[in-house]
């Protein structure tokens, strides 16, 4: 079955450590996204990528980094510069044809900073 | 600028009674609007999408939403709630910016369904 796989599902980090969240899709989608979800705030866009080797900052990119070396993969690194990293992180993908705007989401990764 | 406001952060209904989740939007032109559902610790799933073809949009699991331009609303309804409907629901508007379709999410409405 096609879909998006995020790992790990749960992750604990000490302050000052970088962590990388994995996102893999087998939907042959060109575009991939990372969102952060906090209670009562909906989803906020961190980074997005429309093609391989290209990505753009979203609304809250500070303290995060991404890479897009393969079409299937879009890992997110939460760096020590992110002041409040505890959150639920969601990866999504979509086609990029004109008028296509429906996202497919992964099951999410919950990051807790100790 | 486009935005969405979900008028209720929590809604509680009894099983078998109607569901109404309210959403108002702001947009400078005819918008594309969506409702997504999220079950606990899961990703989001598309319920339905409005793209100006018809004002009443039918989605999965018996949900539907009506686009009312005069009221700038896109409320989500279901005639009879089921226990499995308990989840968080997000109203979303699309904004096209920089060659990219950006989705603006509302803050979410948590639906509780009681026996």
């Amino acid at each position: 079955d096609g879909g998006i796989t995020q790992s790990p599902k749960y992750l604990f980090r000490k302050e000052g450590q970088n962590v990388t969240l994995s996102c893999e899709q087998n939907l042959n989608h060109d575009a991939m996204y990372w969102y952060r979800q906090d209670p009562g705030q909906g989803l906020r866009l961190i980074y997005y990528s429309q093609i391989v080797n290209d990505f753009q900052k979203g609304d809250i990119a500070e303290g995060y980094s991404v890479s897009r070396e393969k079409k299937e993969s879009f890992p997110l690194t939460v760096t020590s510069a992110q002041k409040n990293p505890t959150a639920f992180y969601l990866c999504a993908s979509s086609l990029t044809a004109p008028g296509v705007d429906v996202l497919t989401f992964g099951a999410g990764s919950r990051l807790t900073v100790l | 600028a486009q935005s969405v406001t979900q008028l209720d952060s929590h809604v509680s209904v009894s099983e078998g009674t109607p569901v109404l989740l309210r959403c108002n939007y702001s947009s400078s032109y005819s918008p594309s609007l969506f409702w997504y559902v999220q079950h606990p610790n899961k990703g989001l799933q598309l319920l339905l999408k409005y793209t100006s073809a018809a004002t009443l949009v039918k989605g999965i699991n018996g949900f539907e939403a009506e686009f009312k331009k005069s009221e700038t609303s896109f409320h989500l309804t279901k005639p009879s709630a089921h226990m499995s409907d308990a989840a968080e629901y997000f109203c979303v508007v699309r904004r096209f910016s920089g060659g990219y379709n950006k989705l603006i999410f509302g803050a979410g409405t948590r639906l509780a369904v009681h026996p």
Side-chain angles (χ1 to χ4, degrees):
Chain A
D1 288 338
I4 298 179
T5 301
Q6 290 188 240
S7 63
K9 191 172 180 64
Y10 298 95
L11 185 61
F12 298 90
R13 184 192 102 175
K14 294 182 180 179
E15 284 190 21
Q17 288 182 334
N18 292 355
V19 294
T20 297
L21 308 180
S22 171
C23 177
E24 303 279 334
Q25 55 99 358
N26 60 3
L27 299 166
N28 201 31
H29 285 172
D30 292 304
M32 297 187 74
Y33 315 80
W34 275 105
Y35 286 89
R36 171 178 171 142
Q37 185 177 18
D38 296 282
Q41 294 193 41
L43 275 67
R44 292 180 290 170
L45 182 65
I46 304 172
Y47 269 98
Y48 65 96
S49 168
Q50 291 183 278
I51 57 172
V52 174
N53 293 322
D54 184 59
F55 48 83
Q56 306 295 329
K57 291 183 178 180
D59 299 320
I60 56 165
E62 184 176 352
Y64 300 97
S65 66
V66 294
S67 63
R68 188 83 188 277
E69 298 177 0
K70 298 187 301 182
K71 185 176 184 178
E72 302 80 16
S73 178
F74 192 42
L76 173 74
T77 297
V78 185
T79 75
S80 57
Q82 170 50 234
K83 299 304 180 187
N84 185 22
T86 294
F88 190 53
Y89 292 88
L90 286 160
C91 180
S93 70
S94 73
L95 296 170
T96 55
V100 174
D101 46 22
V102 173
L103 270 60
T104 300
F105 283 86
S109 293
R110 186 169 296 281
L111 172 63
T112 302
V113 174
L114 304 174
Chain B
Q2 291 91 327
S3 68
V4 289
T5 302
Q6 293 185 242
L7 301 174
D8 307 291
S9 59
H10 292 81
V11 170
S12 181
V13 301
S14 298
E15 190 175 21
T17 64
V19 175
L20 170 63
L21 306 183
R22 299 182 296 166
C23 173
N24 286 355
Y25 70 91
S26 66
S27 178
S28 55
Y29 51 85
S30 183
S32 288
L33 294 161
F34 311 78
W35 277 99
Y36 279 83
V37 60
Q38 183 182 32
H39 288 90
N41 292 310
K42 302 290 186 185
L44 277 69
Q45 180 185 18
L46 180 69
L47 273 179
L48 50 81
K49 171 183 175 181
Y50 167 77
T51 55
S52 77
T55 57
L56 183 62
V57 183
K58 293 188 182 299
I60 62 172
N61 301 333
F63 284 94
E64 61 183 35
E66 185 172 9
F67 174 73
K68 292 187 176 180
K69 186 175 181 179
S70 61
E71 299 176 10
T72 61
S73 69
F74 190 57
H75 301 336
L76 182 70
T77 61
K78 183 174 181 177
S80 176
H82 191 273
M83 296 296 290
S84 62
D85 294 328
E88 188 151 23
Y89 293 78
F90 293 94
C91 183
V92 182
V93 66
R94 181 188 72 175
R95 182 178 80 194
F96 189 77
S97 175
Y100 160 67
N101 281 313
K102 181 178 179 179
L103 300 187
I104 309 298
F105 286 79
T109 298
R110 186 168 298 278
L111 175 66
V113 182
H114 302 288

